Amino acid sequence: MDKSLITVTSPLLPDLDDFHAMLKEIWAGKWITNNGSFHKRLEKELAAYLKVPFISLFTNGTLPLITALQALRITGEVITTPYSFVATTHALWWNGITPVFVDIDPSTGNMDPDKIEAAITPRTTAIMPVHVYGKPCDTVRIQEIADKYGLKVIYDAAHAFGVEVNGESILNAGDMSTLSFHATKVYNTIEGGALVMHDEQTKKRIDYLKNFALPMR
Ligand SMILES: Cc1ncc(COP(=O)(O)O)c(C=O)c1O
């Protein structure tokens, strides 16, 4: 590698021999698509490590955002933040939802809860904040506002792998949270992502629809 190159980040990679041994197992089993044994093991071990009840794996961190919106049947307008990777807004736009931007608190980089209520209209159905750089949003305030107006909350937690507040995983806040396992993230699968949900019924529904590629609505 060119030593004069200053990289923004460098991915954590496993020992190549360990990785090769796992590949050998996959080659032997010839199960290289949905729900193989490594897939199931990763879901189980990640859920335990992240202290969340249920998790569903995806091929990146954008698809769980799109899927969460569909699974919760979100329509109309969604309040989100302009300070994020473009996938947050793309997921709304690709679902035919109008993104409504609420400015950030400059001290955290996260959506400013004081500005949310002014952005709510009769068409608002959800709030989609981002835990920017893994710094937790004010989930208590956001939930209070969501409950007051009957809104769903989906957290884009792409940067928030393993983040806890008072011993509780930040991924348990809101209705669902999404993760990215892209090579630039704290934990990576080269490309990958996940959706975190609170109940088994929702996990079953998402896994079924995801694997059989049926429309979610
Ligand atoms: C805040 C945020 N949301 C969503 C994504 C999308 O994740 P992916 O690139 O894995 O699709 C990213 C990726 O950088 C991100 O930073």
Side-chain angles (χ1 to χ4, degrees), residues 104-117:
I104 57 165
D105 173 346
S107 68
T108 63
N110 290 334
M111 183 187 288
D112 185 344
D114 288 338
K115 297 191 172 136
I116 295 176
E117 284 195 85

Side-chain angles (χ1 to χ4, degrees), residues 43-55 160-173 179 196-198:
E43 277 194 347
K44 214 167 154 214
E45 292 187 12
L46 273 179
Y49 180 83
L50 295 169
K51 300 187 193 162
V52 299
F54 299 99
I55 192 164
F161 188 91
V163 174
E164 294 182 7
V165 175
N166 301 326
E168 165 84 15
S169 170
I170 198 74
L171 302 172
N172 289 323
L179 287 161
V196 172
M197 62 287 286
H198 307 318

Side-chain angles (χ1 to χ4, degrees), residues 22 25 38 56 65 70 84 127 130 136 170 179 181-183:
M22 289 181 179
E25 210 177 310
F38 280 94
S56 183
L65 286 167
Q70 293 195 4
S84 181
I127 309 173
V130 181
I170 198 74
L179 287 161
F181 303 149
H182 184 258

Side-chain angles (χ1 to χ4, degrees), residues 35 37 55 86 117 121-122 141 144 160 167 175 193 214:
N35 236 358
S37 62
I55 192 164
V86 71
E117 284 195 85
T121 76
R141 284 281 314 283
E144 277 168 8
D175 293 279
L214 294 172

